[in-house]
Amino acid sequence: MKPVFSYPTLFGDADLEVLSVSIDGTQLPYKQISRPQRTVALHEAGRANWDIATLKLTASLPESELADRDWTEVVCLAVLSEKSTNSRSSVRLSRHPDGSWQGTIDLSRSRHIRRATLALTVTAEVEGVAGRVVGGTQEPWFIDLTSTKPIRQRDVDIVEEDFRDGSQTWLRPFKDSAWIVDTSTDTPRVYLNTTAVEGLTDILGATGGSTEEKLLRDMAASQIAQDAWIAMFHSAVSALEVDDDGTPIMPTGWRESVLRMMLPDVIPDRQLTDALYEIERQRVDGGGWADVQTRIHFAAGRRSQIARKLSSAVRNIHQGGRSSP
C-alpha cells in the first residue's frame, strides 16, 4: 500500500543507480556492486580499516511528466540512512543536459555499523507550497557494511559475540543473556553470547552428537527462533505508518513478510488489510493488547515448531527411561 498525498505526485518511475564506489579514494571492485540486487557489499573491501566510502550516483525521472506539471524548484535528493545508528545524510543531485541527475554521496564509517539504506526523494514546489515530496524510488539500495557479497534479501543473521568483553560494547548490559534479538536494522540479527552458557554455541553449530545433544540443539534453536519471531513481529507493528485517513501502510522488506505470515494467526478470520488495521488499533488504543500477546506467542510458536520439537524431546526421554535397566 502506498501513502496517499493530497496533491499531485509523479506517476512514472524514479530510478536510482550506484555507478561506482571508492573506499578512501580507491575504487571498489565491481563484483561488490549488484545492480539487480540493488546492493553494495563493503565488508572485506580490500582493507579492514577505512573512513569514507564515496558512492557515485545517477538518477532518472519521468522528464516528460515533469515538463507537463506546473511545478517549480524540482529537487532530486539522494538520502543515506541507517536506523540502528539514527544516522541520516542527503545530497542534491545535479541535472545534466542528457536529462539524468548525477552526484556523489559519502558514507562515513564512523556513523554506520551494519546496513545503510540509500533512497531517492524528489521534491518540488506544488500549488505554492515548497519542498513537497512528489516522488522517489520504490526499491531503495542497501549499502551493507557486514556482507562480502551484494545480496539483497537475507534471513536472520546469526552472530556469535562475547557480551562481556567483546568489541560490541553495547551488548555488555546483556552479559547474563544467552542471546538477544536485534530488529533495528534491515536484516534482523540474533546475537549468541559465547560466555553466558559455556558450550552452547558449540552445540548449536554442530551437526552430529549424542541424542541428548541433538535434543538440546533442537530445543535451543526453537526457543531462539520463537524469540526472534516475537521480536520481529513487535518491531514490524511498532514501525507501522498510517496514511492521511488513518489506514496503516504495509511496510516493506522483512517486516512485510513477518506481518503477512503471522497476522492470520494473531488476528484470525480477517482479510490482511482488516487485520493490519485491527492490530494497529489495538496497539494504539491499548484495548485487547494484552490478549493479543497470547496469540503472538502462539503464532511465533507455530513458526518455530517448538511444540513439535518439545514433543519429540519428551518422547525420547520417556523411551530412554523405559529402556534403562
Side-chain angles (χ1 to χ4, degrees), residues 147-205:
S147 177
T148 58
K149 295 181 180 180
I151 299 174
R152 185 176 185 84
Q153 296 294 339
R154 297 189 297 172
D155 296 327
V156 177
D157 283 342
I158 307 295
V159 179
E160 296 183 10
E161 186 70 35
D162 181 353
F163 288 17
R164 189 183 306 275
D165 300 312
S167 59
Q168 302 273 8
T169 56
W170 67 274
L171 290 171
R172 290 177 185 174
F174 313 109
K175 62 185 179 182
D176 295 325
S177 299
W179 60 79
I180 65 166
V181 182
D182 178 14
T183 60
S184 64
T185 63
D186 292 300
T187 301
R189 178 168 293 186
V190 175
Y191 286 92
L192 300 178
N193 192 352
T194 58
T195 54
V197 180
E198 185 176 357
L200 176 61
T201 55
D202 293 333
I203 290 177
L204 287 172

Coordinates of all heavy atoms in Angstrom, one line a residue, residues 147-205:
S147 N 28.6 -7.5 4.9 CA 28.5 -8.6 4.0 C 29.6 -8.5 2.9 O 30.0 -7.4 2.5 CB 27.1 -8.6 3.3 OG 27.1 -9.6 2.3
T148 N 30.1 -9.7 2.5 CA 31.1 -9.7 1.4 C 30.5 -9.9 0.0 O 31.2 -9.7 -1.0 CB 32.1 -10.9 1.7 OG1 31.4 -12.1 1.7 CG2 32.8 -10.7 3.0
K149 N 29.2 -10.2 0.0 CA 28.5 -10.4 -1.3 C 27.3 -9.5 -1.3 O 26.6 -9.4 -0.3 CB 28.1 -11.8 -1.5 CG 29.3 -12.8 -1.6 CD 28.8 -14.2 -1.9 CE 30.0 -15.2 -2.0 NZ 29.5 -16.6 -2.2
P150 N 27.1 -8.8 -2.4 CA 25.9 -7.9 -2.5 C 24.6 -8.6 -2.7 O 24.0 -8.7 -3.8 CB 26.3 -7.1 -3.8 CG 27.1 -8.0 -4.6 CD 27.9 -8.8 -3.7
I151 N 24.1 -9.2 -1.6 CA 22.8 -9.9 -1.6 C 21.8 -9.1 -0.9 O 22.0 -8.7 0.2 CB 23.0 -11.3 -0.9 CG1 24.1 -12.1 -1.7 CG2 21.7 -12.0 -0.9 CD1 24.4 -13.4 -1.0
R152 N 20.6 -8.9 -1.6 CA 19.6 -8.0 -1.0 C 18.8 -8.7 0.1 O 18.7 -8.2 1.2 CB 18.7 -7.5 -2.1 CG 17.6 -6.6 -1.7 CD 16.8 -6.1 -2.8 NE 15.9 -5.0 -2.4 CZ 16.2 -3.7 -2.3 NH1 17.4 -3.4 -2.6 NH2 15.3 -2.8 -1.9
Q153 N 18.2 -9.8 -0.3 CA 17.4 -10.5 0.7 C 18.2 -11.5 1.6 O 18.9 -12.3 1.0 CB 16.2 -11.3 0.0 CG 15.3 -10.4 -0.8 CD 14.5 -9.5 0.1 OE1 14.3 -9.8 1.3 NE2 13.9 -8.4 -0.4
R154 N 18.1 -11.3 2.9 CA 18.8 -12.1 3.8 C 17.8 -12.6 4.9 O 16.9 -11.9 5.2 CB 20.0 -11.4 4.4 CG 21.1 -11.0 3.4 CD 22.3 -10.5 4.2 NE 22.0 -9.3 4.9 CZ 22.8 -8.7 5.8 NH1 24.0 -9.3 6.0 NH2 22.5 -7.7 6.5
D155 N 18.1 -13.8 5.4 CA 17.3 -14.2 6.5 C 17.9 -13.6 7.8 O 18.7 -12.7 7.7 CB 17.3 -15.8 6.6 CG 16.7 -16.4 5.4 OD1 15.7 -15.8 4.9 OD2 17.1 -17.5 5.0
V156 N 17.5 -14.1 8.9 CA 18.1 -13.6 10.2 C 19.6 -13.9 10.2 O 20.0 -15.0 10.0 CB 17.3 -14.3 11.4 CG1 17.9 -13.8 12.7 CG2 15.8 -13.9 11.3
D157 N 20.3 -12.9 10.6 CA 21.8 -13.1 10.8 C 22.0 -13.7 12.2 O 21.4 -13.3 13.1 CB 22.5 -11.8 10.7 CG 22.7 -11.3 9.3 OD1 22.5 -12.1 8.3 OD2 22.9 -10.1 9.1
I158 N 22.9 -14.7 12.2 CA 23.3 -15.2 13.5 C 24.8 -14.8 13.7 O 25.7 -15.1 12.9 CB 23.2 -16.8 13.5 CG1 21.8 -17.2 13.1 CG2 23.6 -17.3 14.9 CD1 20.7 -16.8 14.0
V159 N 25.0 -14.1 14.8 CA 26.4 -13.6 15.1 C 26.8 -14.1 16.5 O 26.0 -13.9 17.5 CB 26.4 -12.1 15.1 CG1 27.8 -11.6 15.4 CG2 26.0 -11.6 13.7
E160 N 27.9 -14.7 16.6 CA 28.5 -15.1 17.9 C 29.3 -13.9 18.5 O 30.2 -13.4 17.8 CB 29.3 -16.4 17.8 CG 28.5 -17.6 17.4 CD 29.4 -18.8 17.3 OE1 30.5 -18.8 17.8 OE2 28.9 -19.9 16.8
E161 N 29.1 -13.6 19.7 CA 29.7 -12.4 20.3 C 29.9 -12.6 21.8 O 29.0 -13.2 22.5 CB 28.9 -11.1 20.0 CG 29.6 -9.9 20.4 CD 30.8 -9.5 19.6 OE1 30.7 -9.8 18.3 OE2 31.8 -8.9 20.1
D162 N 31.0 -12.2 22.3 CA 31.3 -12.1 23.7 C 30.6 -10.9 24.3 O 31.1 -9.8 24.1 CB 32.8 -12.1 24.0 CG 33.1 -12.2 25.5 OD1 32.2 -12.0 26.3 OD2 34.3 -12.3 25.8
F163 N 29.5 -11.1 25.0 CA 28.8 -9.9 25.5 C 29.5 -9.2 26.7 O 29.3 -8.1 26.9 CB 27.4 -10.4 26.1 CG 26.4 -10.8 25.0 CD1 26.8 -11.1 23.7 CD2 25.0 -10.8 25.4 CE1 25.8 -11.4 22.8 CE2 24.1 -11.2 24.4 CZ 24.5 -11.5 23.1
R164 N 30.4 -10.0 27.3 CA 31.1 -9.4 28.5 C 32.3 -8.6 28.1 O 32.5 -7.5 28.6 CB 31.5 -10.6 29.4 CG 32.1 -10.1 30.8 CD 32.5 -11.3 31.6 NE 31.4 -12.3 31.7 CZ 30.5 -12.3 32.6 NH1 30.5 -11.3 33.5 NH2 29.6 -13.2 32.6
D165 N 33.2 -9.1 27.2 CA 34.4 -8.5 26.9 C 34.6 -8.3 25.4 O 35.8 -7.9 25.0 CB 35.6 -9.3 27.5 CG 35.5 -9.4 29.0 OD1 35.3 -8.4 29.7 OD2 35.7 -10.6 29.5
G166 N 33.6 -8.5 24.6 CA 33.8 -8.3 23.2 C 33.8 -6.9 22.7 O 33.7 -5.9 23.5
S167 N 34.0 -6.7 21.4 CA 34.1 -5.4 20.8 C 32.8 -4.6 20.7 O 32.8 -3.4 20.7 CB 34.7 -5.5 19.4 OG 33.9 -6.3 18.6
Q168 N 31.7 -5.4 20.8 CA 30.4 -4.7 20.7 C 30.0 -4.3 22.2 O 29.3 -5.0 22.9 CB 29.3 -5.7 20.2 CG 29.7 -6.2 18.8 CD 29.1 -5.2 17.7 OE1 28.7 -4.1 18.0 NE2 29.2 -5.6 16.4
T169 N 30.5 -3.1 22.6 CA 30.3 -2.7 23.9 C 28.8 -2.5 24.3 O 28.5 -2.6 25.5 CB 31.0 -1.4 24.2 OG1 30.6 -0.4 23.2 CG2 32.5 -1.6 24.0
W170 N 27.9 -2.3 23.3 CA 26.5 -2.1 23.7 C 25.9 -3.3 24.1 O 24.8 -3.3 24.7 CB 25.8 -1.5 22.4 CG 25.7 -2.5 21.3 CD1 26.6 -2.7 20.3 CD2 24.6 -3.4 21.0 NE1 26.2 -3.6 19.4 CE2 24.9 -4.1 19.8 CE3 23.4 -3.6 21.6 CZ2 24.1 -5.0 19.2 CZ3 22.5 -4.6 21.0 CH2 22.9 -5.3 19.9
L171 N 26.5 -4.5 23.9 CA 26.0 -5.8 24.4 C 26.3 -6.1 25.9 O 25.7 -7.0 26.4 CB 26.5 -6.9 23.5 CG 26.0 -7.0 22.1 CD1 26.8 -8.0 21.3 CD2 24.5 -7.3 22.0
R172 N 27.2 -5.3 26.5 CA 27.6 -5.6 27.8 C 26.5 -5.6 28.9 O 26.5 -6.4 29.8 CB 28.8 -4.7 28.2 CG 30.0 -5.1 27.4 CD 31.2 -4.2 27.7 NE 32.3 -4.5 26.7 CZ 33.4 -3.8 26.6 NH1 33.6 -2.8 27.4 NH2 34.4 -4.2 25.8
P173 N 25.5 -4.7 28.8 CA 24.4 -4.8 29.7 C 23.6 -6.1 29.7 O 22.9 -6.4 30.6 CB 23.5 -3.6 29.3 CG 24.4 -2.6 28.7 CD 25.4 -3.5 27.9
F174 N 23.8 -6.9 28.6 CA 23.1 -8.1 28.4 C 24.0 -9.3 28.7 O 23.7 -10.4 28.1 CB 22.5 -8.2 27.0 CG 21.7 -7.0 26.6 CD1 22.3 -6.1 25.6 CD2 20.5 -6.6 27.2 CE1 21.6 -5.0 25.2 CE2 19.8 -5.5 26.8 CZ 20.4 -4.6 25.8
K175 N 25.0 -9.1 29.4 CA 26.1 -10.2 29.6 C 25.6 -11.5 30.2 O 26.2 -12.5 30.0 CB 27.2 -9.6 30.4 CG 26.8 -9.2 31.8 CD 28.0 -8.6 32.6 CE 27.6 -8.2 34.0 NZ 28.7 -7.5 34.7
D176 N 24.4 -11.4 30.9 CA 23.9 -12.6 31.5 C 22.9 -13.3 30.6 O 22.3 -14.4 31.0 CB 23.2 -12.3 32.8 CG 24.2 -11.8 33.9 OD1 25.4 -12.3 33.9 OD2 23.9 -10.9 34.7
S177 N 22.6 -12.8 29.4 CA 21.7 -13.4 28.5 C 22.4 -14.4 27.6 O 23.5 -14.1 27.1 CB 20.9 -12.3 27.7 OG 20.2 -11.4 28.5
A178 N 21.7 -15.5 27.2 CA 22.3 -16.4 26.3 C 22.3 -15.9 24.9 O 23.1 -16.2 24.1 CB 21.6 -17.8 26.4
W179 N 21.3 -15.1 24.6 CA 21.1 -14.5 23.3 C 20.2 -13.3 23.4 O 19.4 -13.2 24.3 CB 20.6 -15.5 22.2 CG 19.3 -16.0 22.5 CD1 18.0 -15.4 22.3 CD2 19.0 -17.3 23.1 NE1 17.0 -16.3 22.7 CE2 17.6 -17.4 23.2 CE3 19.8 -18.4 23.5 CZ2 16.9 -18.6 23.7 CZ3 19.2 -19.5 24.0 CH2 17.8 -19.6 24.1
I180 N 20.3 -12.4 22.4 CA 19.3 -11.3 22.2 C 19.0 -11.2 20.8 O 19.8 -11.6 19.9 CB 19.8 -10.0 22.8 CG1 21.0 -9.5 22.0 CG2 20.1 -10.1 24.3 CD1 21.3 -8.0 22.3
V181 N 17.9 -10.6 20.5 CA 17.4 -10.3 19.1 C 17.5 -8.8 18.8 O 16.9 -8.1 19.6 CB 16.0 -10.9 18.9 CG1 15.6 -10.7 17.4 CG2 16.0 -12.4 19.2
D182 N 18.1 -8.4 17.7 CA 18.2 -7.0 17.3 C 17.4 -6.8 16.1 O 17.7 -7.4 15.0 CB 19.6 -6.6 17.1 CG 19.8 -5.2 16.7 OD1 18.8 -4.4 16.8 OD2 20.9 -4.8 16.2
T183 N 16.3 -6.1 16.1 CA 15.5 -5.8 14.9 C 15.5 -4.4 14.5 O 14.6 -3.9 13.7 CB 14.0 -6.2 15.3 OG1 13.6 -5.3 16.3 CG2 13.8 -7.6 15.7
S184 N 16.6 -3.7 14.8 CA 16.7 -2.3 14.4 C 17.2 -2.1 13.0 O 17.3 -0.9 12.6 CB 17.6 -1.6 15.4 OG 18.9 -2.1 15.4
T185 N 17.7 -3.1 12.3 CA 18.3 -3.0 11.0 C 17.4 -3.6 9.9 O 16.4 -4.2 10.2 CB 19.7 -3.6 11.0 OG1 19.5 -5.1 11.2 CG2 20.5 -3.1 12.1
D186 N 17.9 -3.5 8.7 CA 17.2 -4.0 7.6 C 17.2 -5.6 7.5 O 16.5 -6.2 6.7 CB 17.7 -3.5 6.3 CG 17.4 -2.0 6.1 OD1 16.2 -1.6 6.1 OD2 18.3 -1.2 6.0
T187 N 18.0 -6.2 8.3 CA 18.1 -7.6 8.5 C 18.1 -7.9 9.9 O 19.1 -7.5 10.6 CB 19.3 -8.2 7.8 OG1 19.3 -7.9 6.4 CG2 19.3 -9.8 7.9
P188 N 17.1 -8.7 10.5 CA 17.2 -9.0 11.9 C 18.4 -9.8 12.3 O 18.9 -10.5 11.4 CB 15.9 -9.8 12.1 CG 15.0 -9.5 11.0 CD 15.9 -9.2 9.8
R189 N 18.9 -9.6 13.5 CA 20.1 -10.3 13.9 C 20.0 -10.9 15.3 O 19.5 -10.2 16.2 CB 21.3 -9.3 13.8 CG 22.6 -9.8 14.3 CD 23.7 -8.9 13.9 NE 23.9 -8.8 12.5 CZ 24.9 -8.1 11.9 NH1 25.8 -7.4 12.6 NH2 25.0 -8.0 10.6
V190 N 20.4 -12.2 15.4 CA 20.4 -12.8 16.7 C 21.9 -12.9 17.1 O 22.7 -13.4 16.4 CB 19.8 -14.2 16.6 CG1 20.0 -15.0 18.0 CG2 18.4 -14.2 16.2
Y191 N 22.1 -12.3 18.3 CA 23.5 -12.3 18.9 C 23.5 -13.5 19.9 O 22.8 -13.5 20.9 CB 23.8 -11.0 19.5 CG 24.1 -9.9 18.6 CD1 23.1 -9.0 18.2 CD2 25.4 -9.7 18.1 CE1 23.4 -8.0 17.3 CE2 25.7 -8.7 17.2 CZ 24.7 -7.8 16.8 OH 25.0 -6.8 16.0
L192 N 24.4 -14.4 19.7 CA 24.6 -15.5 20.6 C 25.8 -15.2 21.5 O 26.9 -14.9 21.1 CB 24.9 -16.8 19.8 CG 23.9 -17.3 18.9 CD1 24.4 -18.6 18.2 CD2 22.6 -17.6 19.6
N193 N 25.5 -15.2 22.8 CA 26.5 -14.9 23.8 C 27.5 -16.1 24.0 O 27.0 -17.2 24.4 CB 25.9 -14.5 25.1 CG 26.8 -13.9 26.1 OD1 28.1 -13.9 25.9 ND2 26.3 -13.4 27.2
T194 N 28.7 -15.9 23.7 CA 29.7 -17.0 23.8 C 30.2 -17.3 25.2 O 30.8 -18.3 25.5 CB 31.0 -16.7 23.0 OG1 31.5 -15.5 23.4 CG2 30.6 -16.6 21.5
T195 N 29.8 -16.4 26.2 CA 30.3 -16.6 27.6 C 29.2 -16.9 28.6 O 29.5 -17.3 29.7 CB 31.1 -15.3 28.0 OG1 30.2 -14.2 27.8 CG2 32.3 -15.2 27.2
A196 N 27.9 -16.6 28.3 CA 26.9 -16.8 29.3 C 26.6 -18.3 29.6 O 26.5 -18.7 30.7 CB 25.6 -16.1 28.8
V197 N 26.6 -19.1 28.6 CA 26.3 -20.5 28.7 C 27.5 -21.3 28.0 O 27.5 -21.3 26.8 CB 25.0 -21.0 28.1 CG1 24.8 -22.5 28.4 CG2 23.8 -20.2 28.8
E198 N 28.4 -21.8 28.8 CA 29.6 -22.4 28.2 C 29.2 -23.6 27.3 O 28.4 -24.5 27.7 CB 30.5 -22.9 29.3 CG 31.8 -23.5 28.8 CD 32.7 -23.9 29.9 OE1 32.4 -23.6 31.1 OE2 33.8 -24.4 29.6
G199 N 29.7 -23.6 26.1 CA 29.5 -24.7 25.2 C 28.2 -24.6 24.4 O 28.0 -25.4 23.4
L200 N 27.3 -23.6 24.6 CA 26.1 -23.5 23.9 C 26.3 -23.3 22.4 O 25.7 -23.9 21.6 CB 25.2 -22.4 24.5 CG 23.8 -22.2 23.8 CD1 23.0 -23.4 23.8 CD2 23.1 -21.0 24.4
T201 N 27.2 -22.3 22.1 CA 27.4 -22.0 20.7 C 28.0 -23.2 19.9 O 27.8 -23.4 18.7 CB 28.3 -20.8 20.5 OG1 29.5 -21.0 21.3 CG2 27.6 -19.5 21.1
D202 N 28.9 -24.0 20.6 CA 29.4 -25.2 20.0 C 28.4 -26.2 19.7 O 28.4 -26.8 18.6 CB 30.5 -25.8 20.9 CG 31.7 -24.9 21.2 OD1 32.0 -24.1 20.3 OD2 32.3 -25.1 22.2
I203 N 27.4 -26.4 20.6 CA 26.3 -27.4 20.3 C 25.4 -26.9 19.2 O 25.0 -27.6 18.3 CB 25.5 -27.6 21.6 CG1 26.4 -28.4 22.6 CG2 24.2 -28.3 21.3 CD1 25.7 -28.6 23.9
L204 N 25.1 -25.6 19.2 CA 24.3 -25.0 18.2 C 24.9 -25.1 16.8 O 24.2 -25.3 15.8 CB 23.9 -23.6 18.5 CG 22.9 -23.3 19.6 CD1 22.8 -21.9 19.9 CD2 21.5 -23.9 19.3
G205 N 26.2 -25.0 16.7 CA 26.9 -25.1 15.4 C 27.3 -26.4 15.0 O 27.8 -26.6 13.9

